Amino acid sequence: MLSSFKDNLTEKIMAFVCALLLYFYVVAAKNPVMTQNPVVRVNISKLPNGYSSEMMPNEVSVRLSGPKNLLNQIDIQNLRATVAGQSLREDEGGVQVPVHLNIPENLVQQLDISIQPATVNVRIRRMGQREMPVECLFINTPESGYVYSKPALNPGNLLVSGPSDLLKRAKRIVVSAVPSRPGAAIDEQLPAIVVDGKNNPISGLTVQPNKVRVVIALSPRQLSVASRVYPQLMGQLAEGYEVSRIIATPGEVLVSNGGESSSGNIIYTEPISVEGLSQSFTTKAKLKITAGTSVIGDDMVKVEVQIKGKAASN
């Protein structure tokens, strides 16, 4: 029997090899080895509350190679790459963290999988927020004969949020008002910009709202002059007494469109009653504003009235 097996041994071996090759050919034809090369965005999982993350790079190239029937079990459209964030701590330069794919472990063991790069640099930063006032920058060159009003800003304060290290650098929120033509009034919604101590814009911070309404009106230029305050007294002192001195504080105020008088630029107070008085006193008096004039600043002054007894006549 052994001798009969040895008959045509070479032909038998060749037939076996051909059959084996044919088997693998049929298997390969039905379930060929395939390769897919998707580019997948990397996400961070389980990031600590109150932190944000920065990742470089934020995409990786994936190579999946293996039998067709195994690759078909992977939904390429829903393939996800993640890095674990729960154990990360703040580090200015970031740390290298390995990238993981959402592929079942049984497939990982049967497929040839590579990720480039296999690690990404992740930096986490504590988030914060603070309210800051808005400042308006504008070229104060109005039309001839006019002056600009003080800028009216709405809202006047904005909420700035972002990484705490950037918030520490934030010094001001500014809006730059540029008139539609030189010297024109302004009423616009303008973008708010956060700047540092050197007035350099800081990127990476969020401003809410991000625009401010700026109104800068034009009004005719008015002549302002220094006018002496003249307190007016009304009534009669007690018999035997007289006013020795009247002191107004301030003694001068700025008056717009003030006129000249024979005694110089003066502005009177409303009448101050001294009826029946025999002692010195101090009071507040309102300035008397005539038509076409206005006081720049407070329109109340302090008036001290010193009263003394009359000297006995010889």
Side-chain angles (χ1 to χ4, degrees):
M1 183 175 179
L2 182 60
S3 60
S4 63
F5 174 77
K6 291 181 179 180
D7 292 342
N8 303 319
L9 181 60
T10 301
E11 289 81 357
K12 291 177 180 178
I13 292 175
M14 291 181 62
F16 175 77
V17 171
C18 289
L20 192 61
L21 291 174
L22 180 61
Y23 169 78
F24 283 114
Y25 173 78
V26 172
V27 170
K30 290 184 177 181
N31 190 29
V33 173
M34 299 178 63
T35 299
Q36 293 185 329
N37 299 281
V39 175
V40 183
R41 186 172 183 84
V42 183
N43 296 302
I44 188 167
S45 65
K46 299 180 180 178
L47 186 66
N49 290 332
Y51 284 81
S52 68
S53 65
E54 295 177 357
M55 201 176 307
M56 185 62 67
N58 57 13
E59 291 182 337
V60 293
S61 297
V62 179
R63 183 179 183 277
L64 304 173
S65 183
K68 178 181 178 181
N69 67 327
L70 295 181
L71 287 182
N72 285 343
Q73 298 180 43
I74 300 174
D75 185 353
I76 297 298
Q77 297 300 320
N78 291 316
L79 188 62
R80 296 288 180 268
T82 59
V83 295
Q86 67 267 31
S87 61
L88 295 179
R89 297 291 180 269
E90 286 187 273
D91 188 293
E92 188 161 338
V95 293
Q96 292 296 127
V97 183
V99 179
H100 300 281
L101 298 174
N102 61 335
I103 297 177
E105 186 63 28
N106 64 311
L107 294 180
V108 171
Q109 296 175 357
Q110 300 180 69
L111 295 174
D112 181 13
I113 301 174
S114 66
I115 305 172
Q116 292 295 330
T119 63
V120 295
N121 183 277
V122 181
R123 179 187 180 190
I124 67 169
R125 303 159 87 179
R126 186 184 297 274
M127 302 295 286
Q129 61 182 27
R130 60 191 264 217
E131 190 174 86
M132 298 178 65
V134 184
E135 298 179 29
C136 180
L137 306 179
F138 73 104
I139 300 173
N140 193 354
T141 308
E143 293 182 347
S144 178
Y146 286 81
V147 292
Y148 273 128
S149 68
K150 181 181 178 181
L153 308 177
N154 186 25
N157 293 279
L158 301 178
L159 186 66
V160 183
S161 57
S164 298
D165 58 316
L166 295 183
L167 281 175
K168 290 179 182 178
R169 291 173 49 204
K171 298 301 181 185
R172 299 192 300 163
I173 301 178
V174 297
V175 291
S176 296
V178 179
S180 57
R181 57 182 175 80
I186 296 172
D187 186 349
E188 297 183 46
Q189 294 281 346
L190 299 175
I193 302 171
V194 183
V195 298
D196 60 18
K198 297 181 179 179
N199 290 326
N200 296 316
I202 302 176
S203 60
L205 293 175
T206 302
V207 182
Q208 290 294 331
N210 60 2
K211 286 191 176 183
V212 175
R213 184 185 179 190
V214 179
V215 178
I216 305 177
L218 279 173
S219 58
R221 185 182 299 276
Q222 295 180 321
L223 174 65
S224 297
V225 294
S227 297
R228 183 164 53 89
V229 175
Y230 190 91
Q232 289 191 98
L233 302 184
M234 177 181 67
Q236 296 292 324
L237 294 173
E239 187 175 350
Y241 290 88
E242 64 182 1
V243 174
S244 62
R245 191 179 183 192
I246 304 174
I247 303 171
T249 305
E252 287 187 341
V253 294
L254 284 178
V255 178
S256 65
N257 288 345
E260 294 285 340
S261 71
S262 59
S263 59
N265 294 312
I266 62 175
I267 184 169
Y268 295 94
T269 67
E270 297 288 348
I272 302 170
S273 176
V274 294
E275 183 67 32
L277 297 181
S278 60
Q279 293 183 343
S280 300
F281 67 95
T282 301
T283 187
K284 284 277 191 178
K286 187 177 180 65
L287 296 172
K288 184 184 290 186
I289 310 300
T290 60
T293 65
S294 61
V295 175
I296 299 175
D298 194 354
D299 62 354
M300 298 289 290
V301 295
K302 183 174 75 171
V303 178
E304 180 184 354
V305 180
Q306 297 180 0
I307 299 174
K308 68 175 183 177
K310 292 180 181 180
S313 58
N314 293 328

